[in-house]
Amino acid sequence: MNISVAIDGPAAAGKSTIANIIAHRFNLVYINTGLMYRAVTLMCMRENINYTDVKGVCKIAKSLNIHFGGDKIIVNGENFTELIKYPKVSSNVSNYAAISELRKLLVDLQQKMASKCNVIMDGRDIGTVVLKNAPLKFFLTASASERAKRRCMELNGKNISAEYDKILDEIIKRDYIDSHRTTSPFIKSEDAIEIDSSNLSILDVVEVISGYIRKYIKEHNLENSR
Ligand code: DC
């Protein structure tokens, strides 16, 4: 029996940091689907393919060979992990992620990846579309101001300049586009457990999620299969 854990949440809610720790703790494969949308966006920007050119975007997406290694993403042999977190990519990615044809391609790929192993996957449509039947679904939120503060600290820590007001504005815009697009808009799955992390530390959230996973493992006698 496979374990699959879905984590959805808005930009900079701490999904990837938390999913990474949980993946190590429970020996799950971590798939960060936001990085896939970012990889397509970066490649399209390099090739001057605008998000209005749906055919061009899909051609690029099909040409990508995406590999995950922990929290790293390797695209056509190149390490994209840091490049795709740059503000230039962040401010464009929602427009590309709203293309339904692109979503179909990436969702198929994500479902294939998840079918082969025990996974923890994060994004915006994991509980509602990609892993609709996942037994463990979490919806991670935090106020926009708290998320902007965290994203600024993360970027500054990597010596990437980031102004709080600009980041806050970008996060609010991105939330809006993600939750108002026609195809699989970003919404909470009815059966997801909501965790507001505004006043919680990363480790507090990790403990809450771990508690649910441990309970599931125990109830389904999965200890020995792990
Ligand atoms: O999680 P993130 O900020 O790296 O995501 C980048 C963008 O990709 C974000 O604007 C929403 C979009 N996205 C999506 O539409 N569906 C997913 N499963 C993951 C991300």
Side-chain angles (χ1 to χ4, degrees), residues 159-197:
N159 286 328
I160 302 171
S161 75
E163 282 170 42
Y164 173 83
D165 287 344
K166 270 197 188 152
I167 297 282
L168 178 63
D169 188 48
E170 182 240 302
I171 279 180
I172 292 171
K173 268 194 199 130
R174 205 135 63 88
D175 286 352
Y176 184 86
I177 301 175
D178 292 339
S179 47
H180 287 81
R181 64 184 175 223
T182 347
T183 310
S184 41
F186 167 51
I187 45 164
K188 177 185 169 296
S189 175
E190 272 178 17
D191 51 353
I193 295 154
E194 183 162 348
I195 304 170
D196 184 339
S197 75

Side-chain angles (χ1 to χ4, degrees), residues 15 33-34 37-38 93-94 97 103 123-125 174 178 181:
K15 300 183 298 295
T33 62
Y37 288 94
R38 285 170 179 269
V93 61
S94 287
R103 299 199 70 82
R124 302 292 190 289
D125 59 346
R174 205 135 63 88
D178 292 339
R181 64 184 175 223

Side-chain angles (χ1 to χ4, degrees), residues 38-211:
R38 285 170 179 269
V40 174
T41 303
L42 174 61
M43 218 44 142
C44 287
M45 287 168 73
R46 276 186 181 172
E47 304 283 329
N48 277 324
I49 295 174
N50 193 272
Y51 64 87
T52 50
D53 177 2
V54 175
K55 268 193 188 155
V57 173
C58 289
K59 195 171 164 207
I60 290 281
K62 284 181 192 159
S63 76
L64 301 185
N65 196 348
I66 299 178
H67 281 286
F68 282 97
D71 56 348
K72 283 201 184 72
I73 179 168
I74 310 294
V75 180
N76 295 350
E78 185 182 346
N79 187 347
F80 263 35
T81 320
E82 294 307 323
L83 289 177
I84 55 182
K85 289 181 188 154
Y86 273 70
K88 243 188 184 173
V89 176
S90 301
S91 56
N92 275 306
V93 61
S94 287
N95 291 321
Y96 287 88
I99 302 172
S100 26
E101 291 84 347
L102 173 64
R103 299 199 70 82
K104 186 172 173 355
L105 287 175
L106 293 189
V107 168
D108 283 351
L109 189 58
Q110 290 153 9
Q111 289 174 332
K112 260 187 214 131
M113 287 171 157
S115 67
K116 294 180 192 147
C117 45
N118 291 320
V119 285
I120 181 162
M121 197 178 259
D122 71 4
R124 302 292 190 289
D125 59 346
I126 311 304
T128 50
V129 178
V130 184
L131 301 177
K132 218 174 171 0
N133 297 322
L136 292 152
K137 297 184 186 176
F138 300 93
F139 188 81
L140 195 59
T141 61
S143 66
S145 55
E146 180 61 30
R147 288 184 282 131
K149 207 166 84 191
R150 291 178 192 169
R151 184 50 55 93
C152 275
M153 275 167 58
E154 184 194 343
L155 291 169
N156 290 334
K158 288 177 182 160
N159 286 328
I160 302 171
S161 75
E163 282 170 42
Y164 173 83
D165 287 344
K166 270 197 188 152
I167 297 282
L168 178 63
D169 188 48
E170 182 240 302
I171 279 180
I172 292 171
K173 268 194 199 130
R174 205 135 63 88
D175 286 352
Y176 184 86
I177 301 175
D178 292 339
S179 47
H180 287 81
R181 64 184 175 223
T182 347
T183 310
S184 41
F186 167 51
I187 45 164
K188 177 185 169 296
S189 175
E190 272 178 17
D191 51 353
I193 295 154
E194 183 162 348
I195 304 170
D196 184 339
S197 75
S198 304
N199 297 309
L200 297 176
S201 71
I202 295 283
L203 282 180
D204 289 337
V205 179
V206 166
E207 284 313 323
V208 173
I209 295 179
S210 295

